[in-house]
Amino acid sequence: MDLQTMTYLVVGASFALYIGIAIWARAGSTSEFYVAGGGVHPVTNGMATAADWMSAASFISMAGLISNMGYGGGLFLMGWTGGYVLLACLLAPYLRKFGKFTVPQFIGDRFYSKTASTVAVVCLLTASITYIIGQMTGVGVAFSRFLGVSSEMGIYIGMGIVFAYAVFGGMKGITYTQVAQYIVLILAYTVPAIFISLQLTGNPIPQLGLGSDMAGSDVSLLQKLDQVVTELGFGKYTTTTAGSTLNMFVYTLSLMIGTAGLPHVIMRFFTVPKVSDARVSAGWALVFIAILYTTAPAVAAMAKMNLIGTTNVAAMKGGDMYAPESSLKAEERPDWMKRWEKTGLLKFEDKNGDGRIQYYNDKTKDAAVKAKAEAAGWKGNELTVNADIIVLANPEIALLPNWVIALVAAGGLAAALSTAAGLLMAISAAVSHDLVKGVFKPDISEQGELMAGKISMAIAIVIAGYLGLNPPGFAAGTVALAFGIAASSLFPAIMLGIFSKKMNKEGAVAGMLAGLFVTLVYVFAHKGIFFIKGTEFVDMIGGANSFFGITPEAFGAVGALVNFIVAFVVDKMTKEPPEHIQALVESVRIPRGAKAVDGAH
C-alpha cells in the first residue's frame, strides 16, 4: 500500500476513535464539562495529563531543538519534567483540596476579590492563546506534509475535529479522548526510535542505544556524532550549552515554574476524586511523560547522525568530509527531501553550482573548518532544515516502512490536538465560569452556564484557528513565551495563595500585573514588536539579551521574581486578609479529608 493511502487510513482511524469516545463521554452537567465529574481514576488522569502536556512542542519540536542544540537542549527536558515535580509536591494536592474548577476561581476566592479573579483570567487567556498558536501551526504542518492538503486546510480540519470532541464532550470527553491520543502518540514516537536504534547500534532500546557503540564499530554513537559535527564546523554535540550558564539556569527555571503554572495542566488535577489522588495522578503523569522524554535525546542524536550521513557520504566511513565526492549529488537526493521541500521547511540552494549538497556550519569560528571549505570550493551551507521536521521526517530519513511513517503522522496530530483541546478547555472555563458566572451573571442557571461554556469553547476554536492561519510576528517563540507568561503571572500568585496566609488581594493583583508587564515588555522589545520611537526602546535597555545575557524565552523566571517582590512590598503597605481567609489557607494546607468538587463559591 502506498504511503498516502496508508496515512489516510491510519490518521482517519485515529480521528474516528477520538470522535467516537467524545460521543460516548459527552458532558451533561457543568461538573462533567469542567472537571469530568471529579471521578477520573488517577492512572487514567495521569495518562490524559501526559497527552495534555505533550504538545506539538514536545512531540514535534523538542527532539529537533535537542538535535540542533546538542547538550544545551537538555534544558527542555530538565525544565518541563522538573515542573511536574513542583506541581506534584507544591500545588496539585492543595488546589484539589480547595475544590474549585479553575485557577482564576481559586485566585478569586483565596484573595477574596473579583478583581484578582479577572486579572488571573487575563493572564490565563494571554498564556493559553499564545500557547495554542503553536499547536494549530503544528496541525497545519503535519497535515500539509502527510495528507497532501495545504496547511490552511489542515488547520480547518483540525478545528473541526477538536470542535467535535471538545465542545460536546467538555473535560469528560477530552479526558478519555486524551487517553487514546496518548497511546497513539507514544507508539508513534517510540516505534520509529526502536527501529532506528536497531539500525545504528543494534540495541532495540533507544535510551540504551544512545550510549552504545555504532553497529559494527567500537566507537560509541555520541563519540562518532561529536567527531562528525565538529568536522563540519558545528559545536561539540555533548558539551555545547544554550548561551551562558546563567541563561541556561534561568531558562530551565522559567520552564519549570511555567509548567507548574500552566492553567490547562493544573485543571487536570481537579478531575480526580480525592486529594491523595491528585498527587498519585501527578506521579503517573511523570511516568507516562518520561517514556517520551527519555526517548527524545536518542531520537535527536540518531536523527542528526542520519541526516549528516545522508548528505555527506564520508560521515559514517571516516573519510574526508570536504572531498568533492563526499557531498550528495543534488539530483540523487532522496524522495523524503523532495517531499519536505514542498512544505518550505527544508530548502536546498546550490550556491557554488557544483550540483552537490554541502551541509555544514558556514558561520563557524573554526579557522581550520573555514580553510577546508574554501579549499573544496564551498560557498556556504546549502541545506536549511527546520528543527520541527526532525521527528516527523526521521522514519523517512531512515527508510522505515510506510506504516511507521503513517503512525508518526497520526502521533504528531494527536499531540497537537490533545494539547489544543486542553488549552481550549482552560479558556472556555475561564470565560464561562470565571467571567460570565463569577463576574457578570452570578445567578446564571447550570444549563445556562453549560451553554456559555460551549459557546465560549466554539469561539475560542475560531480564534485559535485564525491565529494558526495568521500567526503574529512573535510566533517563533510562542511556546517559550507561554511558559514565561505563566511563570511570571500565575505561578507566584498560586504559590502565595497556598503558602502565605498573610498575602492579601492588593499584593497578589499588583504582583501578577507587574510580572506579566515586565515579561511582555522584555520579550516584545527583543522580538521587535514593542517600540518607543522606532528602535530606541531596545537600545535603551541595552540591546538584544541585555539583562545579564538572558534570552527573552528565559525571562519568565525574572518576571516571577518581580512578581514575588512587588506582591510582598504591596502586601506590607496594605492591610492583612480577613481572619476567615487566613483560616481557609490554614485548612487547605492541613492534609485531612477531601472536599467534594462542586465548583460552588
Side-chain angles (χ1 to χ4, degrees), residues 469-495:
L469 293 165
N470 304 281
F474 58 87
T478 50
V479 171
L481 176 56
F483 281 89
I485 292 169
S488 62
S489 59
L490 294 174
F491 175 77
I494 297 169
M495 284 290 290

Side-chain angles (χ1 to χ4, degrees), residues 223-532:
Q223 285 179 316
K224 182 67 176 178
L225 188 54
D226 270 344
Q227 175 195 334
V228 169
V229 295
T230 51
E231 276 281 321
L232 294 174
F234 298 101
K236 198 171 183 180
Y237 193 83
T238 56
T239 58
T240 303
T241 59
S244 66
T245 303
L246 174 63
N247 184 67
M248 192 161 179
F249 171 78
V250 175
Y251 205 147
T252 304
L253 181 61
S254 182
L255 292 175
M256 285 178 67
I257 62 179
T259 296
L262 278 175
H264 75 287
V265 177
I266 293 173
M267 278 187 72
R268 291 239 53 97
F269 298 102
F270 298 147
T271 65
V272 292
K274 297 182 296 184
V275 174
S276 60
D277 291 339
R279 199 183 300 276
V280 172
S281 181
W284 277 108
L286 272 170
V287 171
F288 292 126
I289 291 168
I291 297 172
L292 187 147
Y293 273 39
T294 56
T295 307
V299 170
M302 293 173 187
K304 186 86 168 182
M305 181 66 81
N306 276 334
L307 176 63
I308 294 174
T310 299
T311 56
N312 192 309
V313 295
M316 300 291 191
K317 301 175 183 177
D320 183 359
M321 297 287 198
Y322 295 88
E325 65 275 9
S326 289
S327 300
L328 176 70
K329 289 183 179 179
E331 63 187 29
E332 295 177 357
R333 65 189 187 278
D335 289 340
W336 73 264
M337 279 191 176
K338 297 174 184 176
R339 290 193 291 262
W340 279 103
E341 282 180 64
K342 293 177 183 177
T343 69
L345 297 175
L346 183 146
K347 298 176 183 177
F348 163 62
E349 179 186 359
D350 192 0
K351 294 179 179 178
N352 63 352
D354 66 350
R356 291 179 176 272
I357 299 174
Q358 278 90 47
Y359 178 62
Y360 73 112
N361 181 16
D362 55 1
K363 297 179 177 62
T364 181
K365 296 180 181 179
D366 190 323
V369 170
K370 286 185 175 180
K372 288 179 183 179
E374 289 174 5
W378 292 8
K379 302 296 184 183
N381 179 55
E382 297 179 346
L383 187 69
T384 303
V385 182
N386 189 298
D388 285 348
I389 79 169
I390 290 296
V391 170
L392 297 178
N394 207 14
E396 296 179 88
I397 298 173
L399 304 177
L400 297 184
N402 285 347
W403 68 268
V404 178
I405 299 171
L407 182 61
V408 170
L413 289 167
L417 292 174
S418 63
T419 301
L423 290 164
L424 289 165
M425 188 70 247
I427 292 169
S428 170
V431 172
S432 62
H433 193 66
D434 299 315
L435 286 183
V436 175
K437 181 179 176 64
V439 177
F440 299 116
K441 197 175 181 182
D443 59 345
I444 190 172
S445 67
E446 180 172 345
Q447 288 305 309
E449 185 184 351
L450 184 60
M451 181 56 66
K454 292 182 177 181
I455 292 172
S456 59
M457 174 86 75
I459 293 172
I461 290 172
V462 173
I463 294 172
Y466 175 80
L467 291 173
L469 293 165
N470 304 281
F474 58 87
T478 50
V479 171
L481 176 56
F483 281 89
I485 292 169
S488 62
S489 59
L490 294 174
F491 175 77
I494 297 169
M495 284 290 290
L496 292 171
I498 294 171
F499 295 103
S500 175
K501 68 178 183 180
K502 298 290 187 181
M503 180 54 60
N504 61 19
K505 61 183 179 182
E506 291 84 2
V509 170
M512 284 190 287
L513 290 175
L516 180 64
F517 177 77
V518 167
T519 302
L520 290 180
V521 167
Y522 190 81
V523 170
F524 287 174
H526 290 79
K527 295 291 184 184
I529 307 297
F530 190 92
F531 297 101
I532 296 178

Side-chain angles (χ1 to χ4, degrees), residues 92-99 272-279 587-597:
Y94 305 110
L95 289 171
R96 168 59 190 81
K97 187 174 182 183
F98 199 82
V272 292
K274 297 182 296 184
V275 174
S276 60
D277 291 339
R279 199 183 300 276
S587 68
V588 166
R589 293 211 304 264
I590 296 171
R592 287 201 306 253
K595 184 177 179 180
V597 174

